[in-house]
Amino acid sequence: MVKARRVGHATFETPDLEKAIAYYGEFMGLIVAEREKDRAFLATKIGQLVIELNKADRAHCIKLSFEVAPNSDFGELARELSNDGVRSELRNDSVPGMGQVLSFKDDKGTTIDLFKDWSYLAKHAQVAGVGPLKLGHVAFFTPDIQRTVAFYERVLGFRVSDWIGDFFCFMRCNTDHHTVNFFTGPDVKLHHIAFELKDFMHLENSCDVMGQKQIPIIWGPLRHGPGHNVATYHRNPDDQVVEFFCELDQMKDEELGYFEPRPWHRDAPQRPKRWTPGKTNVWGPSPEEDFHRTQ
Ligand SMILES: [Fe+2]
């Protein structure tokens, strides 16, 4: 089985490339690592590639990359994918800092690129704007959530961390409570993309940046139940929901099977579980109806 170790970057199509670059650069505090006419690559201030922007007619998240072990044999992984009924190909998309990728589509049609060779694109740069530490997780609507969850478990080695009812699933591929989430919906769309901030002070600072830039906070601050992250949400210029979070639950030992104990946990120990819809906040407001609107 392929074992995804972490999410690398998310690739977005956007109708207004300049506006998207300005948002991720000036507001988010990412660094434009490389710019082509219709394409841009953005890295964190630490130097990891997190966002690729492609000019297109519509706004859509079309691809995620996942790092696999450095000694992975792509030929062997391709055979394993084939055994799971997944056709893959070796590609070199000239993504800055990244070597060859093994590319295929997941069950809902999102492209997945597996990579093992990468290098930093910047070195601890000072940035204006929010300046997240990393891309944390990406959440999608999917028409058949059981099928999608089964694909990520069986083909990519993810584990289920939590469910809300039977329509929202959180999945992990490393110590983080979730790196992908799936929400039942009629169409395949981005639900939200989330960036990790250093701590609550950094989150407060991001609220002040949103205040200065007059970007409304559409949900939060709140502490979630599933994952127990403190979070805020806003919309980017393409009307996609973006989350800032800190203090996400960590499962440091898969065999122990519980999340690192924290004072805000109500279960002792806190294990993966099914949460009751409408009762998933530890504290903070519920989202307005408009939050669930997708562009
Ligand atoms: Fe999230």
Side-chain angles (χ1 to χ4, degrees):
M1 181 171 60
V2 173
K3 197 168 183 310
R5 304 286 173 147
R6 72 170 180 99
V7 66
H9 70 290
T11 301
F12 284 89
E13 292 184 336
T14 177
D16 194 333
L17 186 61
E18 298 307 325
K19 212 180 227 183
I21 291 172
Y23 164 82
Y24 283 109
E26 291 159 28
F27 165 67
M28 185 76 81
L30 301 180
I31 295 161
V32 180
E34 200 165 298
R35 174 72 207 271
E36 300 164 11
K37 180 170 170 284
D38 291 328
R39 207 154 79 131
F41 296 91
L42 294 109
T44 63
K45 60 187 175 185
I46 303 165
Q48 289 184 301
L49 176 67
V50 282
I51 294 288
E52 175 182 346
L53 298 170
N54 293 340
K55 190 170 166 53
D57 293 337
R58 59 173 190 163
H60 197 51
C61 182
I62 56 168
K63 185 162 78 179
L64 296 179
S65 70
F66 292 105
E67 185 170 2
V68 292
N71 59 354
S72 298
D73 177 340
F74 277 159
E76 200 173 299
L77 293 188
R79 280 191 293 280
E80 288 175 20
L81 288 168
S82 177
N83 290 340
D84 282 319
V86 178
R87 207 171 48 194
S88 60
E89 59 174 342
L90 275 176
R91 297 186 57 164
N92 194 333
D93 275 350
S94 46
V95 172
M98 192 178 285
Q100 252 189 342
V101 300
L102 187 64
S103 184
F104 56 94
K105 287 201 189 306
D106 71 9
D107 69 295
K108 58 184 169 47
T110 307
T111 299
I112 304 295
D113 280 355
L114 303 179
F115 67 96
K116 54 182 178 175
D117 303 315
W118 66 278
S119 55
Y120 284 84
L121 301 177
K123 203 173 180 186
H124 299 279
Q126 292 296 322
V127 295
V130 174
L133 298 186
K134 72 174 188 186
L135 172 59
H137 57 271
V138 187
F140 284 93
F141 287 102
T142 179
D144 187 341
I145 193 168
Q146 294 296 343
R147 187 190 65 193
T148 301
V149 168
F151 184 96
Y152 275 74
E153 277 184 321
R154 184 170 49 85
V155 179
L156 283 163
F158 277 75
R159 285 83 69 191
V160 171
S161 283
D162 277 321
W163 280 90
I164 300 175
D166 60 358
F167 57 87
F168 201 168
C169 187
F170 302 75
M171 303 187 78
R172 68 185 181 281
C173 65
N174 52 37
T175 60
D176 284 355
H177 176 275
H178 55 283
T179 294
V180 292
N181 356 2
F182 301 109
F183 199 101
T184 299
D187 305 312
V188 177
K189 279 181 183 174
L190 183 79
H191 183 276
H192 69 276
I193 184 167
F195 294 88
E196 185 175 51
L197 306 191
K198 181 170 165 286
D199 52 22
F200 193 73
M201 289 301 288
H202 194 182
L203 200 75
E204 183 200 25
N205 178 254
S206 75
C207 292
D208 283 329
V209 177
M210 285 188 275
Q212 286 161 1
K213 303 271 186 189
Q214 299 191 343
I215 295 174
I217 296 170
I218 60 168
W219 187 20
L222 77 152
R223 185 182 291 284
H224 287 295
H228 292 87
N229 40 324
V230 180
T232 67
Y233 297 81
H234 66 279
R235 287 183 185 275
N236 71 15
D238 283 326
D239 214 24
Q240 293 156 330
V241 174
V242 181
E243 174 188 355
F244 292 133
F245 72 91
C246 63
E247 297 184 348
L248 184 68
D249 277 346
Q250 300 290 308
M251 187 175 291
K252 293 189 174 168
D253 188 323
E254 285 285 330
E255 288 184 27
L256 294 180
Y258 55 78
F259 297 101
E260 192 72 359
R262 289 289 179 266
W264 41 81
H265 289 171
R266 288 177 181 160
D267 295 356
Q270 189 72 54
R271 298 181 186 279
K273 68 172 190 174
R274 193 176 296 271
W275 296 73
T276 304
K279 294 184 176 173
T280 59
N281 285 6
V282 177
W283 52 258
S286 298
E288 306 279 328
E289 192 52 41
D290 184 64
F291 177 80
H292 299 290
R293 168 176 62 86
T294 58
Q295 43 65 247

